[in-house]
Amino acid sequence: MRNLLSTHRSVLRDPDSGIPITGSAWDVESDSIIYTLGPTKNDALIRLKRWRPNNDNHEIDCIASWDAPCPLPDLDCDRVLSLQYFPDFSTTCIVLAGGDIIIVRENAQPNEEKIEIMGSVDVGISAAAWSPDEELLAITTRADTLLYMTRDFSNTSDATLTVEDLKSSKHVSVGWGKKETQFKGKGAMALRDPTMPEKVDEGAFSVHDDRSTTISWRGDGAYVAVNSAQASPRRVIRVYSREGVLDGVSEPVDGLEGGLSWRPVGNLLAGIQRLEDRVDVVFFERNGLRHGQFTLRLSKKDMKDWASVISLQWNIDSSVLAVSFKDRIQLWTMGNYHYYLKHETRIPVSEAQSTTLSFVWHLEQPLLYTFTSNGSVHRVEFISQVCAGPTSSPDDYGIVSVIDGKNVKLTALRIANVPPPMALSEIQAESNVTSTAVFGGGVETKIAVLEESSISLYSWDLTARPVQPPILLTIKDLSADPVYNNIQQIVYIDNEHLKLLKFEGPGCSVHNFSFASSEIIYSGTTLMPHLRSIIPKTHTLNCYPYLFLENSGALSADPSAFDLDQYSDGNIRTIVTVLPQRLQEIKVVDVSGDLSRLSGDASTVLKSTTIAFGLTFNGSLFANKRRLAKDCTSFVVTPVHLIYTTTQHLLKFVHLTTVDQLEVPLDTPEVDERCRSVERGAKLVTVMPSISALVLQMPRGNLETIYPRALVLDGIRQSLDEKRYKKAFLACRTHRVDMNILHDHAPETFISEASMFVDQVAKVEHIDLFLSQLREENVVETMYRETKGRLEQATNMTPITKTLPALSNRVRTSKVNTICDTFLEVLRRRASTNLQNIITSHVCKTPPDLEAGLVEVSKLQKDNPEAAEKAVEHICFLADINRLYDNALGLYDLELVLLVAQQSQKDPREYLPFLQNLQEMQVLRRQFTIDNYLGRYTKALKHLQAMNEFEEFQSYVTRHSLYADALHMYRRQEDQYRAIMALYADYLLREAKYRESGIAFEYLRNYASASEAYRLAHLWKESLSCAKLVPLSDKSVQSLARAIAASLLELKDYASAATIYSDYLHDIESAARLFCKGYFFADAIRILSHSNRSDLIDTTVDAGLVEGMATMIELLAECKAQLNAQVPRLRELRIKKAEEPLAFYDGDVNESADIPDDVSLVGTEASTTGGSLFTRYTNRTGTVGTNATRQTSKNKRREERKRARGKKGSVYEEEYLVNSVGRLIERVNTVGEEMGRLVVGLMRRGMRERAKAVEDAMLEVVRSCGECIGEVFAQNDTSENGQEAPEVKNFDKLSIL
C-alpha cells in the first residue's frame, strides 16, 4: 500500500562531457559518488573523479588519471567491469576487461604508489564483483574460470566452468502452484503426470543475448551466483560457495539473458527471460529451480527498442528491484505476491546509450541510488510512504491510493477492506504514474494523478451506494513545455490549488496551479533552494496553509498564503521548527483545538502548538527536536493521538499535547492499553477514528483491520461528550468495553441526562445489559486511566455524591445504587414498556433489592398474569433462584412463591406440600412459620408475641438466644420482662460472661446468684456487698472473703487482697504484709498505726523493705548485665553487615548447611525458597519470586521458632537482640513506680544508704536504656515485626538524697 515518492534528484554533467562515464560507486561515509570516465577507442585515458552532491556548487574532485591501453586484440578498448571504493583505506579498486586489477590510493603514503596494478589476468576478465563484506573478489575470466581473491589480492581458490557442471544438480519439481498441477476433472488431461509440464525448456538463447557474464553475491556473502553463456550449450546460473565449491546450477530456461541479481535476504535470484511476446523477470532458488516470475509491461516495439538490453539490481533491504534499460530505470516492489511498478525514471533521449544504464544502489540507505548515462551522473532519492486521505472525522474514509504502473488502485478502507493487489476502484492512465494526491472525503473527494506529461483530476463520491468509479474532471497536458519534464511530486494544497515539485540540481522548482471551472490554470513558478517536499494542510494544521520541508530538516511556512511572487528568490521564509535532515516521512499537526477538547471545558483557551512528527531512515521518531522513539517503523497522526509501530512488534499510542508533555508508553502491552502487540513486521496504513479502526499491512502484503482499545475509548469519550449515548453504548457492546465508562466519564452529566440515555438506547435488552454490568469501581481512574490524555487526567470531576439533581432526598453513597435509583425514577414514567428494566434496576443494586423486584412482579400478577410470568423468568435469570424463592416467601405471597418455584429446579413433591401446609395456617402462624424457615428469627419472634404464646415465646428465645430482642419487645410489661431477664442471666452465666450475669441477677434481686457471679468475675467489692444483702452469716461472709482474697493473690492484686484482710477478715498483720509485698509501704504503715500495732512496723514493714530492696537490686543487675552483653553484640553484627553483607546474610538459616559452589544466589520467578538472598532477610519488596513464595504452615512455624530463639550466628540474631532490648526497656518502665515507692519507704524507715543504692542503680539502668535507644532502634529494619523505638520513662530522683 506504499508508493515511492521522489524527494531529491541531482544531475551532474561532467566537464569532459565528450567522454562516456563507464562506472560509478558510493563512498558511504561522505555519501559522495566515485565515477570513471573512459577509456574509449580513441582515448585510452581513464579519469577517476569524486562528486559531492550535497555541495551546492557540484564540486568535482579529480582523484587520478592514467592510460589504460587494452592488451587484448579483440577489444577496441578496455572496459571498466567493477568499481569499488573502500572508505577504511580511502582506496578505489578498478577491474578492467583487459585483465588488470588496479588500486588507486587517494591519500597515498610516501612509500606507496598512488596508482598500482595489483595483478593481471592474461586471457582477460569477463565479470567481477566484491562480496558484501568487501573481503573477497569473485572474477570470471574469458577462459571460463572462476577466481577468488582476498582483499590483498591473493588467489584463494579457482574453478573451471564446464559442461559437466550441468550434471551436478538433478532438479525435481513437483510443480507447486503451476497451472499444470491444478485439478481439471476426469478428462484426458487429468490422466497425465502433473509434475511433467506440457513444454520442457531446453535453454535456447535469446535473440538479444550478448553472451555477457554477470556475478551476484548473496547478502551474507556465503554464496555467489555466476550467470554465463560460455562453455555451455545454454545460459546457466551456477551457484558457488564462499570456498569455491559448486553448489547448484539452474534448470534450463528458454530465452534466459545475462541480467542477474541475488536478493540480499537470500531466498531468490532474479533473472531475465525474453519470450516472443513478453519479457519476464524470473526467480530461481539457490538450488537452481524456478520460483515464480512477473512480466515487465512492455510492448513488442519496446522490447526491440529501449528494452533490448536489461539488467537487474536489488536494493540493500530487498524491498525494491531496479530494472535498468537503455534510457530508463523502473522500480518494482512486491506485496501479496503481486509486483507493482512504483516508479519510472527516464533520461533525455540525447543521453541514451547502447547498453543499460550503469546503476548502483547505496550500500546503507535503501532508497538512494545513482546511475550514469552519456556524460551525466544522476543521484536520486526516494521515500516509501502511504498516499492516504484525511484521518479525522467525518472525512476519514481510509482512502489509500496505490501506484502500479499505469494503474492507480483506490480503496476506501472504511467502506470495503479490499485486499491488495485488488482495489475498490482503479484509474487507468495513459502513461506510468509518478505521484498521486488525495484531498477531502465523502462527496468532495478529489484525486490528482501526475503522469509523465499530464495532470488528471478526478472526483469520487463515496456516499453513493454502490460506490461508483472516480469521474474524470479535467486533464492538463504538460508535454508542450519541456520545463515540466521529470516532475516528481504533486501536492493538494486545498480544494482549488495544486503544487508540482521538480528537482533541478541543488534546488527545486514549485509549479503552482489552480482548479476552477473544470480547468487547471497555471499560476506561477517559484524556485525554492534546498526544498525536499511540501507538507499540505491537514485536518489539524490550522496555523498555516502548508509548510515547506527543506533538506536541512527545517520546516518553513508561507506567511502570505498564496502570494508567491515575493518568493522568487527563495529567501523569505518563516521557520516553524527544525527536524533531523534525513526524514523518511513527516506529518505536521496543530494541537490547539484538540487540547481544548481534552481539557473538558469548551471555554478554556489554550496556546496553539504546532508539532512536526518526523521519521528518519534509521527508525528515530521525532516531535520537533525531541526524539520520542528509536525503533519506529511507521506512524500516523489523528486529532488526538500519535500512533506508531516499533521494531519490537508493538503498536503504541501517544496522546497529543505539548511536545514536552508527550508521554510515550512503555513496552508493556499486558498492563497498558496504549501499547499492544501486533504481527511481526506490520506497518501502519491509515487510521479511521470515526469507526475506531486502524489498518495494518503485514510483511507479505495482506491487510488487517484492528480496533485498538485506545481508539475505541477515545471514540466512546467523544460520543459521550456529544451526548450520543447510543453510539457510545453500541461501541462498548461491540468492542467489549466496560460499560461503567458511560457513567464514570462524566457522572453529573450522565445522571442528569438519564432520560436521554433511555430514549436513545431505547431497547429494553440494551438497558438491561448496561444495568447488569454496573459496579462500584471507577473504571476511568483504574482500568482505563492510561488511555486518557494528561489534561483529561488533570480535569477535576465533582464526585457524584456531592452534586446531584433533585431526584431524591436520600444520601447516596453507592454509585450503583445512585444509577439504579435514577433509572427507576425515569423508568417508572415508562412502566408500560420498560417494566423489565425496572425489575433489573432493583436486582442490580448493591446489595440486590430482590424484594422490591418481586413486589413489582406481584403487582403485575394481578393485572397481567402473562406479563408476570415473563417478568418472573427475567428476574430468575438475573438472580439466584434459591434466593428469589426465599425472598418471595418473605413477602408471604404464596402465589408468587409458586410462580418462582416453577422456574427453579426444585422438586414439586417437596415445595407443593410445604406451600399447601402454609396455606392452611392462620396468617400469624403462617408468617411465623415462614420467618422461622427463612432463619429470620427476630421477625418470627414478633409473630409469637402477636399471638400471645408466651411459653412458646420463652422456649423460642432460649433456643435461638434472642434475649436482647425479647427484652426489647417486653420492655413495658414488667412480669414478662423479668422472666426473660432470668433466662438471660442464666444464659450469661453459662457463657462465662460473669459480670453481665451478676448485673442481671442483681436487677432481679437474686443477691446470692449475683454474689457468686461477681466472685467468678473477680469483682470483690460487688460480690461481698451482694453477700451482705442476701444476707449471709458473718462466718459465710468471711469464708467468701478468704476465697476472694486467695484468687486476688493469684492475680498478684496485693492491694485488693490486703484491703479484704483488713476490712473483712480483720487480720492487720497479714494485710500489712500483703501491702509490703505489693510495695505499698505507706498503706502498710497507715493500717498498723491506725490499729495501734506499731510494734509490727519494725518486724513487718522493715522486713518487707529489705526483701523488696533485694529483689529490685537483683532485677536491675540483670538488666544492666543484659544491656552490657546485647548492645555491643548488636553493634558488632551491624558492623559485619555493613562491611561484608554476603558473609552476614550467609547465616545459619538451614542449620549452617554448606551452599554448593554451583548454586546461584540470584532469585528467580520460579524460586520457592522465600525470595532472593537479600529480600528474605530484610523483608524488602523484591522480585516476583519473593511475592509469589509458597510456604507451608509447617515451614512457617519452623521459621517462627528460629526467629523466636534468635540463635547466635543466625540471620535472626539481630532481630532477636533488638526485640529483647525493647522488652527490657518496657520492664524498666513498669517497675519505675514500685522503685519510687521502695526508695521513699526506705527513707521513711531511716535506711538512707539502702535508699541511695537502690536509687543510683535505677538511675544508671534508666540512663543506659536511654543511651542505647538511638543505636539499637535507629536501624531496626530487620523484621516486619520489629517494634518502634520505645520511650524510656524518667525516674524522679528524691531530692533529699
Side-chain angles (χ1 to χ4, degrees), residues 394-453:
D395 296 331
D396 54 339
Y397 281 84
I399 304 171
V400 179
S401 170
V402 181
I403 297 174
D404 186 12
K406 297 180 181 180
N407 294 331
V408 178
K409 299 177 182 293
L410 297 171
T411 301
L413 296 170
R414 178 170 156 187
I415 299 174
N417 191 347
V418 181
M422 297 182 291
L424 181 62
S425 184
E426 291 190 10
I427 295 175
Q428 185 70 33
E430 295 295 329
S431 60
N432 290 331
V433 177
T434 302
S435 177
T436 62
V438 179
F439 183 83
V443 181
E444 296 296 330
T445 304
K446 297 293 177 60
I447 301 166
V449 178
L450 174 63
E451 302 174 38
E452 181 183 357
S453 59

Side-chain angles (χ1 to χ4, degrees), residues 3-260:
N3 298 327
L4 295 180
L5 181 65
S6 177
T7 57
H8 183 79
R9 181 173 180 179
S10 299
V11 181
L12 170 68
R13 290 175 176 81
D14 192 271
D16 300 324
S17 57
I19 304 174
I21 299 176
T22 54
S24 61
W26 283 100
D27 177 4
V28 295
E29 285 191 352
S30 62
D31 280 346
S32 57
I33 300 171
I34 310 295
Y35 65 96
T36 58
L37 293 91
T40 63
K41 182 178 180 179
N42 300 322
D43 187 358
L45 186 66
I46 297 179
R47 300 168 178 83
L48 182 64
K49 296 185 179 183
R50 177 192 294 272
W51 173 38
R52 306 180 190 274
N54 293 329
N55 193 302
D56 295 344
N57 299 323
H58 289 303
E59 181 178 345
I60 301 173
D61 300 331
C62 185
I63 299 174
S65 61
W66 68 95
D67 285 328
C70 182
L72 301 179
D74 58 333
L75 295 179
D76 293 336
C77 63
D78 219 336
R79 182 161 53 92
V80 177
L81 298 179
S82 172
L83 179 64
Q84 183 79 17
Y85 182 78
F86 301 104
D88 50 351
F89 292 106
S90 300
T91 59
T92 305
C93 178
I94 303 172
V95 180
L96 300 177
D100 291 340
I101 303 174
I102 303 171
I103 286 292
V104 179
R105 301 180 178 89
E106 274 192 87
N107 303 315
Q109 300 299 321
N111 58 345
E112 295 178 335
E113 296 183 5
K114 187 176 184 64
I115 303 171
E116 183 178 359
I117 299 178
M118 305 302 295
S120 295
V121 179
D122 296 337
V123 296
I125 299 174
S126 57
W130 283 92
S131 62
D133 58 3
E134 298 179 344
E135 294 296 333
L136 205 60
L137 173 64
I139 296 175
T140 57
T141 69
R142 294 164 67 107
D144 299 331
T145 57
L146 174 66
L147 305 177
Y148 282 172
M149 291 188 178
T150 61
R151 186 74 171 268
D152 57 2
F153 300 99
S154 59
N155 189 9
T156 61
S157 64
D158 58 76
T160 303
L161 311 181
T162 65
V163 179
E164 297 299 321
D165 296 341
L166 305 184
K167 302 178 183 179
S168 63
S169 293
K170 296 181 180 180
H171 303 120
V172 178
S173 174
V174 296
W176 293 116
K178 290 184 175 293
K179 182 179 179 181
E180 305 86 57
T181 63
Q182 304 306 309
F183 179 71
K184 299 180 181 179
K186 298 181 180 180
M189 290 295 293
L191 299 178
R192 71 179 191 84
D193 186 357
T195 63
M196 296 299 296
E198 297 179 4
K199 179 181 179 299
V200 178
D201 286 357
E202 298 178 354
F205 284 100
S206 166
V207 294
H208 292 279
D209 196 332
D210 56 1
R211 303 301 195 271
S212 62
T213 302
T214 308
I215 300 177
S216 181
W217 285 87
R218 200 170 76 171
D220 58 358
Y223 292 92
V224 64
V226 179
N227 184 354
S228 64
Q230 290 89 348
S232 301
R234 61 180 174 88
R235 180 171 285 277
V236 180
I237 300 176
R238 294 174 173 85
V239 178
Y240 291 89
S241 68
R242 193 178 179 92
E243 291 75 26
V245 179
L246 182 64
D247 187 71
V249 298
S250 64
E251 62 177 280
V253 176
D254 289 343
L256 186 65
E257 295 188 352
L260 178 67

Side-chain angles (χ1 to χ4, degrees), residues 1167-1199:
S1167 174
T1168 59
T1169 60
S1172 64
L1173 180 66
F1174 288 92
T1175 57
R1176 177 173 183 179
Y1177 306 131
T1178 62
N1179 287 310
R1180 301 288 190 187
T1181 301
T1183 62
V1184 176
T1186 304
N1187 298 327
T1189 300
R1190 299 290 191 269
Q1191 283 189 334
T1192 64
S1193 57
K1194 182 178 180 181
N1195 291 337
K1196 289 183 178 179
R1197 288 194 299 269
R1198 182 185 299 116
E1199 292 292 328

Side-chain angles (χ1 to χ4, degrees), residues 353-420:
Q353 51 192 37
S354 59
T355 61
T356 58
L357 301 175
S358 176
F359 180 93
V360 181
W361 285 106
H362 197 280
L363 299 179
E364 293 180 354
Q365 300 175 30
L367 297 179
L368 175 61
Y369 65 81
T370 179
F371 68 92
T372 61
S373 59
N374 287 333
S376 299
V377 181
H378 301 255
R379 182 183 185 274
V380 186
E381 186 174 2
F382 289 87
I383 59 173
S384 175
Q385 68 177 22
V386 178
C387 180
T391 57
S392 63
S393 179
D395 296 331
D396 54 339
Y397 281 84
I399 304 171
V400 179
S401 170
V402 181
I403 297 174
D404 186 12
K406 297 180 181 180
N407 294 331
V408 178
K409 299 177 182 293
L410 297 171
T411 301
L413 296 170
R414 178 170 156 187
I415 299 174
N417 191 347
V418 181

Side-chain angles (χ1 to χ4, degrees), residues 319-551:
S319 61
V320 182
L321 176 63
V323 183
S324 301
F325 303 95
K326 291 182 178 180
D327 64 346
R328 68 196 66 193
I329 296 171
Q330 293 182 350
L331 303 181
W332 294 76
T333 64
M334 191 271 285
N336 233 10
Y337 303 104
H338 174 80
Y339 277 84
Y340 297 83
L341 174 54
K342 288 300 182 182
H343 195 275
E344 183 178 80
T345 303
R346 292 194 183 186
I347 61 173
V349 178
S350 60
E351 297 184 12
Q353 51 192 37
S354 59
T355 61
T356 58
L357 301 175
S358 176
F359 180 93
V360 181
W361 285 106
H362 197 280
L363 299 179
E364 293 180 354
Q365 300 175 30
L367 297 179
L368 175 61
Y369 65 81
T370 179
F371 68 92
T372 61
S373 59
N374 287 333
S376 299
V377 181
H378 301 255
R379 182 183 185 274
V380 186
E381 186 174 2
F382 289 87
I383 59 173
S384 175
Q385 68 177 22
V386 178
C387 180
T391 57
S392 63
S393 179
D395 296 331
D396 54 339
Y397 281 84
I399 304 171
V400 179
S401 170
V402 181
I403 297 174
D404 186 12
K406 297 180 181 180
N407 294 331
V408 178
K409 299 177 182 293
L410 297 171
T411 301
L413 296 170
R414 178 170 156 187
I415 299 174
N417 191 347
V418 181
M422 297 182 291
L424 181 62
S425 184
E426 291 190 10
I427 295 175
Q428 185 70 33
E430 295 295 329
S431 60
N432 290 331
V433 177
T434 302
S435 177
T436 62
V438 179
F439 183 83
V443 181
E444 296 296 330
T445 304
K446 297 293 177 60
I447 301 166
V449 178
L450 174 63
E451 302 174 38
E452 181 183 357
S453 59
S454 65
I455 307 173
S456 303
L457 295 185
Y458 293 84
S459 176
W460 198 16
D461 185 3
L462 295 175
T463 60
R465 294 294 181 273
V467 178
Q468 300 299 319
I471 300 174
L472 178 63
L473 298 178
T474 184
I475 297 178
K476 175 71 172 179
D477 186 12
L478 304 177
S479 60
D481 192 345
V483 74
Y484 297 122
N485 291 342
N486 293 322
I487 296 291
Q488 302 299 318
Q489 297 181 23
I490 185 169
V491 179
Y492 248 122
I493 300 303
D494 56 28
N495 197 32
E496 298 180 354
H497 294 85
L498 291 168
K499 289 184 180 291
L500 304 183
L501 275 69
K502 177 181 179 181
F503 299 103
E504 298 177 323
C508 177
S509 58
V510 180
H511 304 281
N512 307 285
F513 292 87
S514 59
F515 174 71
S517 302
S518 301
E519 184 179 358
I520 300 176
I521 303 172
Y522 172 73
S523 58
T525 299
T526 306
L527 181 62
M528 299 289 294
H530 314 296
L531 182 63
R532 183 179 178 86
S533 62
I534 292 180
I535 310 301
K537 178 178 180 178
T538 64
H539 58 278
T540 53
L541 185 60
N542 303 317
C543 298
Y544 311 102
Y546 52 86
L547 293 172
F548 298 118
L549 175 62
E550 304 179 8
N551 288 328

Side-chain angles (χ1 to χ4, degrees), residues 860-871:
L860 187 64
Q861 190 177 11
K862 301 175 183 178
D863 302 330
N864 192 344
E866 294 182 0
E869 287 190 15
K870 294 183 179 179

Side-chain angles (χ1 to χ4, degrees), residues 665-685:
L666 300 176
D667 296 347
T668 53
E670 62 278 359
V671 297
D672 195 339
E673 296 282 6
R674 298 172 299 168
C675 179
R676 63 168 288 171
S677 300
V678 293
E679 186 176 331
R680 179 183 296 271
K683 290 187 178 182
L684 293 168
V685 176

